[in-house]
């Protein structure tokens, strides 16, 4: 299958959940590009798309590294443009793909995996989910620490990142691209709710 979403949309957590729940499955993931999505849909590969609110998504990206406040403001439009480009294609696609929200993956991972099981047509074994979740997060931290000695790019919540996200959201809302990104998110959110009802 293919598991994709714009950066900072719980891609790492979603991937680790799927990988640990369905260990024999082959997953294309983390390219954050339309190429992988287009290829997968063209070749009838099961495709799962994670969608996060643009305000939270872009703010989270900009909090991942030690950018100056000025550089963060300059990057807002670029990230919103990329967000729009990525999800506009997903929204307009008529192919059978599975949409899931960031909140669904993070707050309701058991439900997310249940939907994945149905969509992928692979049974999900019952397990102690609290222990499972702890193991997944531990594996994520261990993996990212190998590549990030500063420990600032690990895609898990943190107090320092929270302060930065709050400060940058004002700049995101002022961007001329924000309204368009929000419209696309709302349309995808509606489509996502329809899929859950159909499931």
């Amino acid at each position: 299958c293919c598991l994709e979403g714009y950066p900072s949309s719980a891609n790492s957590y979603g991937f680790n959940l799927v990988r640990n729940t369905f260990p024999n499955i082959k997953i294309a993931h983390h390219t954050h590009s339309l190429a992988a999505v287009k290829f997968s849909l063209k070749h009838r590969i099961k495709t799962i798309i994670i969608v996060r609110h643009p305000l939270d998504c872009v703010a989270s990206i900009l909090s991942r590294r030690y950018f100056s406040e000025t550089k963060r403001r300059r990057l807002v439009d670029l990230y919103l443009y990329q967000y729009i480009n990525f999800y506009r294609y997903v929204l307009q696609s008529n192919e059978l793909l599975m949409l899931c929200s960031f909140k669904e993956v993070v707050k309701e991972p058991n439900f997310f995996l249940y939907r994945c099981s149905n969509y992928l047509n692979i049974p999900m074994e019952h397990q102690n989910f609290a222990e499972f979740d702890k193991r997944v997060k531990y594996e994520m931290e261990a993996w990212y620490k190998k590549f990030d000695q500063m420990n600032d790019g690990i895609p898990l919540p943190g107090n320092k990142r929270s302060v930065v996200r709050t400060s940058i959201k004002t700049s995101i809302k002022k961007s001329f691209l924000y309204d368009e990104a929000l419209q696309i998110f709302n349309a995808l959110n509606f489509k996502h709710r329809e899929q859950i009802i159909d499931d």
Side-chain angles (χ1 to χ4, degrees), residues 103-150:
K103 288 182 179 179
E104 177 185 336
V105 177
V106 174
K107 301 292 185 183
E108 302 177 280
N110 228 353
F111 179 62
F112 164 68
L113 290 171
Y114 170 78
R115 289 187 65 221
C116 286
S117 176
N118 287 341
Y119 177 67
L120 299 171
N121 197 25
I122 302 174
M124 182 176 72
E125 295 181 8
H126 295 289
Q127 51 198 308
N128 182 331
F129 195 78
E131 287 299 316
F132 175 64
D133 176 67
K134 190 185 299 182
R135 187 178 79 241
V136 167
K137 288 177 179 173
Y138 173 80
E139 288 181 5
M140 285 175 64
E141 288 180 351
W143 173 260
Y144 279 94
K145 281 177 181 176
K146 288 181 182 178
F147 304 98
D148 193 342
Q149 298 301 316
M150 295 296 291

Side-chain angles (χ1 to χ4, degrees), residues 36-182:
V37 177
K38 289 179 178 178
F39 179 89
S40 298
L41 294 176
K42 179 181 178 181
H43 293 277
R44 303 295 182 193
I45 295 169
K46 297 281 189 174
T47 305
I48 302 167
I49 304 291
I50 305 175
V51 186
R52 187 179 188 183
H53 194 290
L55 183 63
D56 298 320
C57 188
V58 174
S60 182
I61 296 171
L62 290 170
S63 72
R64 289 272 285 275
R65 298 290 174 183
Y66 295 126
F67 293 133
S68 68
E69 192 67 25
T70 302
K71 188 169 185 179
R72 285 195 186 101
R73 284 196 292 268
R74 288 175 181 166
L75 288 171
V76 164
D77 290 343
L78 172 64
Y79 288 134
L80 283 173
Y81 174 80
Q82 292 175 343
Y83 179 100
I84 290 167
N85 192 46
F86 184 91
Y87 286 115
R88 182 192 287 130
Y89 178 85
V90 172
L91 180 62
Q92 294 173 347
S93 174
N94 292 319
E95 301 297 331
L96 187 60
L97 48 78
M98 176 181 152
L99 291 173
C100 50
S101 70
F102 171 85
K103 288 182 179 179
E104 177 185 336
V105 177
V106 174
K107 301 292 185 183
E108 302 177 280
N110 228 353
F111 179 62
F112 164 68
L113 290 171
Y114 170 78
R115 289 187 65 221
C116 286
S117 176
N118 287 341
Y119 177 67
L120 299 171
N121 197 25
I122 302 174
M124 182 176 72
E125 295 181 8
H126 295 289
Q127 51 198 308
N128 182 331
F129 195 78
E131 287 299 316
F132 175 64
D133 176 67
K134 190 185 299 182
R135 187 178 79 241
V136 167
K137 288 177 179 173
Y138 173 80
E139 288 181 5
M140 285 175 64
E141 288 180 351
W143 173 260
Y144 279 94
K145 281 177 181 176
K146 288 181 182 178
F147 304 98
D148 193 342
Q149 298 301 316
M150 295 296 291
N151 198 28
D152 66 334
I154 296 174
L156 290 171
N159 291 333
K160 290 181 181 178
R161 290 184 59 198
S162 180
V163 173
V164 176
R165 282 196 297 268
T166 301
S167 68
I168 199 65
K169 284 183 178 181
T170 302
S171 297
I172 297 170
K173 289 179 181 178
K174 289 179 179 178
S175 171
F176 70 101
L177 292 169
Y178 178 65
D179 284 346
E180 184 177 358
L182 188 58

Side-chain angles (χ1 to χ4, degrees), residues 178-193:
Y178 178 65
D179 284 346
E180 184 177 358
L182 188 58
Q183 287 173 9
I184 290 173
F185 168 77
N186 288 334
L188 284 169
N189 200 32
F190 179 79
K191 204 170 181 179
H192 168 244
R193 290 198 301 269

